[in-house]
Amino acid sequence: MINDLWYKNAIVYCLSVETFMDANGDGIGDFQGLQRRLDYLAGLGVNAIWLMPFQTSPGRDDGYDVSDYYNVDPRYGTLGDFVEFTHGAKQRGIRVLIDLVVNHTSNEHPWFQDARSDPNSRYRDWYVWSDKKPANADEGMVFPGVQKTTWTRDEKAKQYYFHRFYDFQPDLNTANPHVQAEILKIMGFWLQLGVSGFRMDAVPFVIAEKGPEVTKPKEQFDMLRTFREFLQWRLGDSIILAEANVVPKDNVKYFGADGDRMQMMFNFHVNQALFYALASSDARPLAKAVEETLEHPQTAQWGLFLRNHDELDLGRLSEKQRQKVFQEFGPDKSMQLYDRGIRRRLAPMLQGDRRRLELAYSLMFSLPGTPVLRYGDEIAMGDDLSLPERNCARTPMQWSTEPHGGFTKNDKPVLPVISGGAFGFQHTNVADQRRDPNSMLNWMERLIRMRKEAPEIGWGDCKILNPGNNGVLALRYDWRDNSVLVVHNLNATPVEFDLSVGLGDKGETLIDLADGGNSEADETGKHRLLFEAYAYRWYRVGGLDYLLKRKEV
Ligand code: GLC
Ligand code: CA
């Protein structure tokens, strides 16, 4: 049954073990700490956790530089702790996805160490080498401004090696069948330990041709099918959620025309348009981006997000649009990064304005796809711009008003906990928000419940309606005789509009999913609605009792 595809309607929560909860008091988050917080996550209503890298690593790129794929970094615990965690998650109906970082290894990985020491090493061809510095070595850096080149000379190897990212992250030669076999082995290993799949890092680079002669790297899409088949043979309901910031015309190549490649991809296209819409109060480019990404195989799904652990990448907006987003959300140079993005968290970008925060999350939860929430977003955590690069948005979770926000009993947390001011742990923390029915945390819990009660969003056909105001985005989802309408006013002013465009000929009753109120068309057939500034509403179309109306199938 197609309804069995759990990821079509999941609520994903992304977290880093290192900064979530420290149980043993050494200042570093760990699996035992995370284990103790599983009931918190279950209470929030999330049903999948995406763990950022936790494997053994020198930690120069927050774990995205792995030196042992088959272990837990000892700072976070042991493999035993990991299995306790996946078991605990499973008991609570929560699935676990983990980061799979196989475009490159750490330069401290034994494979690279062996490869560089001896031209005849069996690992030499696991990496990408060149005798001379290739002509395009100063092109295609992922971290411009910080990263100077993509080819660096290794004195021991007496050759240059290729690195799409930092120089301590040598690229794996993914075209080598031995490397491909190893990638499958890594996936198989973690599947046995209880995960339901992988957030695959940097997918377009993993499958790109690599080498000194390559000027326009072609993607080897077959590789995606190999990964997919392996996963499904080993564990039928496991998935890959691909990090692939690609243009809409390439989407189908990643999903596979027959849905035989990646099950999920992050929707970077919609993400950027969404921030532009929030910055400009113009919903039209967002509507267009949604439209452009609607088409995909039925079994595929988008991952929708607002902010993640990286910078908000605005690289695909027009120059004018990008400047608008910078101006509204990151005017200071210190808030910007890599010439293309903003490194702040969402809450400070929106100046903590609850109306706009709710609007933004309501959008993320109701656009076509599966929402991916970042830890701390549920309490509107802030950032610390004094930390370098992307670390500003990776500070420890704020649990309480205890020292260091209750994250650790140690005086030296791995990253400083945000302290003082509106976003400091003294004001922004889980403990206080739990007790306050109007808090962001309790609002988020209600939003998650509402999303679960509207499976049409994950499954249904989405239609973009045009209620005649450029700042209003209205979507209708139809699925098996059930319909949901979600309407967002991006304007800073109240608006009145006619929603009869989204309703059937006879006019249908709209039941507000949040407050149960209902509205109908007037005698002339118009369905007038008045929305306050930044208001959002989710409606079920038809019958008096929406739970009754929702037919179980
Ligand atoms: C991805 C990750 C990023 C990391 C990079 C290199 O883009 O999201 O955090 O630095 O890959 O692995
Ligand atoms: Ca610890």
Side-chain angles (χ1 to χ4, degrees):
M1 281 297 284
I2 189 136
N3 325 27
D4 284 350
L5 306 182
W6 63 271
Y7 56 89
K8 292 284 285 186
N9 251 329
I11 314 284
V12 185
Y13 186 96
C14 155
L15 68 92
S16 159
V17 178
E18 184 178 74
T19 50
F20 203 59
M21 181 66 205
D22 173 26
N24 66 356
D26 65 354
I28 305 170
D30 43 47
F31 276 104
Q32 290 189 12
L34 172 55
Q35 177 94 21
R36 290 186 200 167
R37 291 294 182 253
L38 272 175
D39 288 319
Y40 165 77
L41 294 174
L44 189 58
V46 307
N47 42 29
I49 296 173
W50 153 30
L51 291 185
M52 326 220 32
F54 54 81
Q55 291 85 351
T56 313
S57 161
R60 294 179 67 190
D61 182 17
D62 228 351
Y64 284 94
D65 47 336
V66 177
S67 57
D68 181 359
Y69 288 96
Y70 300 104
N71 250 311
V72 169
D73 191 291
R75 296 176 310 151
Y76 310 140
T78 63
L79 280 175
D81 295 326
F82 180 80
V83 171
E84 283 299 293
F85 158 70
T86 52
H87 174 70
K90 190 172 177 189
Q91 274 187 317
R92 292 163 179 85
I94 300 177
R95 292 175 183 267
V96 178
L97 302 173
I98 66 172
D99 238 292
L100 180 68
V101 189
V102 291
N103 176 64
H104 45 262
T105 68
S106 159
N107 59 349
E108 292 182 29
H109 196 293
W111 301 335
F112 187 70
Q113 287 303 325
D114 201 87
R116 67 195 280 251
S117 324
D118 180 359
N120 297 318
S121 155
R122 61 176 287 233
Y123 294 110
R124 186 74 161 200
D125 191 45
W126 282 40
Y127 294 88
V128 187
W129 303 97
S130 174
D131 288 332
K132 288 203 292 282
K133 188 170 192 165
N136 59 356
D138 56 354
E139 288 167 21
M141 281 83 73
V142 177
F143 305 122
V146 184
Q147 181 193 354
K148 301 277 177 267
T149 176
T150 52
W151 288 89
T152 294
R153 186 169 167 84
D154 182 70
E155 283 315 324
K156 210 165 185 185
K158 298 195 173 54
Q159 278 190 310
Y160 288 83
Y161 64 92
F162 175 64
H163 52 91
R164 174 61 69 190
F165 296 87
Y166 295 111
D167 59 2
F168 53 82
Q169 292 167 319
D171 266 49
L172 280 165
N173 176 13
T174 41
N176 180 331
H178 296 288
V179 172
Q180 287 187 18
E182 191 76 30
I183 294 174
L184 301 185
K185 198 194 271 186
I186 294 167
M187 294 202 285
F189 178 80
W190 293 103
L191 286 179
Q192 289 291 334
L193 299 189
V195 310
S196 292
F198 304 89
R199 176 262 187 196
M200 196 166 190
D201 191 52
V203 174
F205 298 131
V206 172
I207 63 173
E209 272 179 319
K210 309 180 189 193
E213 313 300 328
V214 177
T215 43
K216 277 214 172 96
K218 274 199 11 220
E219 299 96 342
Q220 302 148 79
F221 286 106
D222 280 357
M223 227 187 268
L224 299 181
R225 185 177 167 134
T226 310
F227 298 152
R228 162 73 174 256
E229 282 183 343
F230 174 83
L231 269 191
Q232 309 256 276
W233 288 329
R234 284 280 168 101
L235 186 66
D237 62 356
S238 55
I239 64 154
I240 294 180
L241 163 55
E243 184 209 19
N245 185 352
V246 295
V247 291
K249 74 170 173 39
D250 288 340
N251 292 340
V252 67
K253 299 184 193 154
Y254 284 83
F255 286 134
D258 304 321
D260 55 356
R261 293 176 184 165
M262 307 284 89
Q263 288 91 343
M264 287 187 80
M265 259 207 287
F266 284 111
N267 199 331
F268 283 91
H269 191 62
V270 159
N271 177 261
Q272 309 192 15
L274 175 48
F275 274 92
Y276 176 71
L278 293 171
S280 65
S281 296
D282 184 355
R284 289 169 302 173
L286 174 58
K288 184 161 168 266
V290 169
E291 183 88 57
E292 285 166 342
T293 54
L294 276 183
E295 204 180 304
H296 57 68
Q298 212 196 352
T299 55
Q301 184 64 305
W302 288 112
L304 291 165
F305 63 106
L306 286 165
R307 290 289 292 110
N308 61 18
H309 64 294
D310 290 325
E311 79 288 359
L312 163 63
D313 185 343
L314 302 169
R316 295 200 191 279
L317 294 181
S318 72
E319 185 55 33
K320 216 170 138 215
Q321 291 174 327
R322 186 164 40 249
Q323 289 314 324
K324 177 73 183 164
V325 182
F326 277 138
Q327 181 195 325
E328 291 295 317
F329 298 145
D332 199 278
K333 273 276 170 237
S334 70
M335 301 164 174
Q336 304 171 7
L337 198 59
Y338 309 136
D339 309 331
R340 60 167 178 243
I342 299 180
R343 63 189 191 119
R344 308 173 82 188
R345 271 209 185 233
L346 185 72
M349 276 196 224
L350 300 179
Q351 288 155 353
D353 184 338
R354 189 55 192 275
R355 294 172 309 168
R356 300 187 79 186
L357 280 169
E358 288 190 15
L359 177 76
Y361 288 111
S362 171
L363 276 166
M364 171 177 113
F365 272 73
S366 65
L367 293 176
T370 288
V372 182
L373 196 65
R374 176 147 169 80
Y375 81 93
D377 278 9
E378 71 274 33
I379 55 170
M381 252 170 67
D383 49 43
D384 179 350
L385 294 177
S386 72
L387 297 173
E389 289 181 66
R390 293 163 291 164
N391 276 359
C392 63
R394 299 177 178 184
T395 61
M397 182 69 180
Q398 297 170 195
W399 294 106
S400 69
T401 55
E402 291 165 286
H404 303 295
F407 160 69
T408 180
K409 296 233 181 301
N410 196 286
D411 260 350
K412 286 207 171 59
V414 58
L415 280 177
V417 181
I418 294 175
S419 177
F423 297 108
F425 70 85
Q426 299 88 343
H427 279 288
T428 299
N429 64 70
V430 171
D432 286 352
Q433 293 198 21
R434 284 172 66 102
R435 293 185 207 109
D436 172 6
N438 297 316
S439 66
M440 185 79 195
L441 178 62
N442 281 310
W443 175 83
M444 187 66 78
E445 202 179 306
R446 292 192 291 274
L447 181 70
I448 290 175
R449 184 179 320 122
M450 193 156 82
R451 176 64 179 77
K452 286 177 166 170
E453 288 174 357
E456 291 92 334
I457 298 174
W459 288 110
D461 294 324
C462 172
K463 230 188 303 156
I464 297 157
L465 312 177
N466 182 7
N469 183 302
N470 293 344
V472 176
L473 184 75
L475 303 178
R476 177 179 175 129
Y477 292 93
D478 294 294
W479 184 58
R480 298 186 172 169
D481 283 347
N482 293 296
S483 302
V484 163
L485 268 174
V486 292
V487 187
H488 293 82
N489 177 20
L490 284 89
N491 296 292
T493 49
V495 289
E496 199 185 344
F497 52 90
D498 173 19
L499 208 62
S500 52
V501 285
L503 300 170
D505 288 344
K506 287 186 235 88
E508 291 164 300
T509 315
L510 293 181
I511 296 116
D512 187 319
L513 281 175
D515 67 14
N518 61 53
S519 68
E520 274 168 32
D522 62 22
E523 316 78 63
T524 68
K526 289 214 186 320
H527 202 123
R528 287 197 183 285
L529 291 170
L530 179 68
F531 268 46
E532 294 300 321
Y534 303 126
Y536 58 91
R537 285 177 189 280
W538 296 28
Y539 301 103
R540 179 155 273 109
V541 181
L544 275 176
D545 182 333
Y546 74 87
L547 284 175
L548 285 183
K549 168 68 184 175
R550 194 185 126 195
K551 293 176 199 146
E552 288 300 337
V553 266

